[in-house]
Amino acid sequence: MEAMGLSPQFWRGKRVLVTGHTGFKGSWLTLWLQSLGAEVSGFSLDPSTEPSLFELARVHEGINDQRGDLRDLGALLELIAETRPKIVLHLAAQPLVREGYRDPLGTYSSNVMGTLNLLEAIRQVGGVRACVLVTTDKVYANQEWLWPYRENEALGGHDPYSSSKACCELLAQSYAASFFAPEKYAEHGLALATARAGNVLGGGDFAPERLIPDVLRAWSADDPVTLRYPQAVRPWQHALEPLAGYLQLAAGLFEQGPEFAGAWNFGPGEADMCSVGEVVELLASRWPQARGLRIEPSDLHEAGLLRLDSSRARQLLGWQPRWSLQQCLTQTLDWHLAWQNGDDMRAISLAQLNLYRGAL
């Protein structure tokens, strides 16, 4: 029996808007919603990488594929008025820490104003019952302490990307208090939540300056891997893990309303807290041609230790990670090798999705 909010019985025929559907996580989410029978509309810029999971897995098939910029409020107003979604899953963002240093203005503009425009369009048009805004685990004021962060910990953000996402959390809190207050739910009918996940892995991620794509590119070219922070510890998980959480949260908001509003963490178990170097070693054990490592320290700040407490999601949503880090890396590498082999990547992606759903 599938967990709450992950069954076709709930999603079949539901009108859903996914922002950022051409991105890595957005593509996996859109495929999943398609497989559950949802009526999906997507709003996003063109894929940011070549190749991309969106193109390789033909994610556009069977959805209303709309291209545009979240900073265009008029386009969002028109889209929501036209598609009348009942559920909105907001993933569109500039998602890279180092790109935030290179282009802070673009990062804040995209992430903060894009989120603000979406909330305003939802407020003006009406009709949306559940909205999940996806942020990041990096919204916390990271003290590099050993215990995991809970949803009520202080927000912060040392770098522009992290700070921009913390701003999105504040926007969500403000709109929830000002326009979507729980005590007035009968009037506005919208339940709003934010979702904070850790570092995600998975097949189809071709973004620059992310660990696994960088490793696979280097080894495919028979080059050594360059690491900036080999001792940094991250909460690794397959992209399908938090996506399952987003779907369960959206269903909870839709069915229970304000009871499921607020912030939610979706992080891996304690066993999957590994350093960057350890993850590369695990991958190397399955790649016979793996070359050595090259350390090139960076003067740009990145978190050294960050852990999430996902007790709320476990207890109230029944969500929990299903794949170990080893399973996650195996599926990621299998997807990459299938792509290199010229296989049908939509079929491969759906097969991995079904494999994950079988573990639920």
Side-chain angles (χ1 to χ4, degrees):
M1 180 178 177
E2 291 192 285
M4 180 191 81
L6 297 177
S7 68
Q9 286 75 17
F10 173 80
W11 289 99
R12 188 175 295 116
K14 288 284 193 313
R15 295 194 302 275
V16 183
L17 171 62
V18 178
T19 73
H21 71 296
T22 64
F24 166 56
K25 285 173 70 178
S27 292
W28 276 112
L29 180 60
T30 302
L31 278 175
W32 198 338
L33 286 165
Q34 285 180 302
S35 73
L36 293 171
E39 296 181 11
V40 183
S41 295
F43 186 80
S44 179
L45 299 172
D46 292 337
S48 60
T49 63
E50 174 57 46
S52 69
L53 173 59
F54 184 83
E55 296 292 348
L56 292 174
R58 306 190 303 280
V59 177
H60 66 279
E61 294 182 2
I63 70 166
N64 176 19
D65 177 17
Q66 298 289 327
R67 304 300 170 87
D69 194 318
L70 284 171
R71 289 169 288 192
D72 184 347
L73 176 60
L76 280 172
L77 288 167
E78 183 178 340
L79 174 72
I80 293 176
E82 176 186 320
T83 59
R84 308 298 297 184
K86 290 299 181 182
I87 297 174
V88 174
L89 296 154
H90 174 48
L91 282 74
Q94 189 296 99
L96 302 173
V97 170
R98 292 172 69 82
E99 179 62 21
Y101 282 111
R102 285 189 292 267
D103 183 15
L105 184 60
T107 297
Y108 281 104
S109 174
S110 234
N111 296 353
V112 180
M113 291 308 301
T115 300
L116 179 57
N117 281 342
L118 178 66
L119 287 170
E120 184 59 16
I122 289 172
R123 184 183 76 86
Q124 290 190 29
V125 177
V128 176
R129 285 185 54 178
C131 179
V132 177
L133 304 179
V134 176
T135 60
T136 173
D137 60 346
K138 298 175 180 64
V139 299
Y140 293 106
N142 190 5
Q143 307 298 319
E144 303 281 346
W145 54 39
L146 296 177
W147 51 89
Y149 289 89
R150 294 168 296 180
E151 289 89 348
N152 60 353
E153 305 279 4
L155 298 174
H158 183 284
D159 61 274
Y161 164 74
S162 303
S163 172
S164 74
K165 286 297 195 172
C167 290
C168 293
E169 292 279 350
L170 293 174
L171 280 176
Q173 292 176 16
S174 174
Y175 263 68
S178 301
F179 308 114
F180 309 124
E183 60 270 20
K184 296 184 178 180
Y185 180 68
E187 298 176 22
H188 57 72
L190 173 68
L192 175 65
T194 61
R196 307 163 180 175
N199 289 43
V200 295
L201 314 176
D205 187 3
F206 295 98
E209 299 177 337
R210 280 191 185 145
L211 178 63
I212 303 303
D214 285 351
V215 168
L216 297 181
R217 272 190 291 268
W219 288 347
S220 296
D222 200 27
D223 291 330
V225 174
T226 300
L227 300 181
R228 299 186 302 271
Y229 302 97
Q231 302 307 316
V233 175
R234 297 285 188 268
W236 309 100
Q237 57 190 156
H238 196 281
L240 295 178
E241 302 278 26
L243 293 180
Y246 304 164
L247 292 174
Q248 290 179 253
L249 176 55
L253 292 167
F254 187 92
E255 295 187 325
Q256 303 296 328
E259 180 182 340
F260 285 83
W264 298 78
N265 286 339
F266 297 99
E270 185 68 28
D272 294 325
M273 291 292 300
C274 294
S275 72
V276 168
E278 289 171 328
V279 169
V280 174
E281 289 176 4
L282 285 170
L283 268 180
S285 68
R286 296 208 53 228
W287 190 293
Q289 295 81 23
R291 300 287 302 275
L293 300 179
R294 183 169 56 220
I295 310 300
E296 291 185 2
S298 170
D299 58 356
L300 299 179
H301 176 272
E302 291 189 31
L305 176 63
L306 182 60
R307 298 165 58 202
L308 295 179
D309 183 333
S310 304
S311 300
R312 187 185 187 207
R314 293 171 186 264
Q315 294 173 10
L316 299 183
L317 294 176
W319 174 89
Q320 62 179 328
R322 302 291 174 170
W323 278 352
S324 67
L325 177 58
Q326 187 62 63
Q327 288 173 299
C328 166
L329 293 173
T330 295
Q331 295 302 316
T332 301
L333 189 54
D334 286 351
W335 192 100
H336 189 82
L337 294 174
W339 167 62
Q340 288 188 327
N341 193 49
D343 293 349
D344 180 339
M345 296 318 298
R346 182 178 177 89
I348 293 294
S349 301
L350 287 172
Q352 288 199 348
L353 179 55
N354 287 332
L355 182 66
Y356 180 81
R357 288 176 62 184
L360 293 170

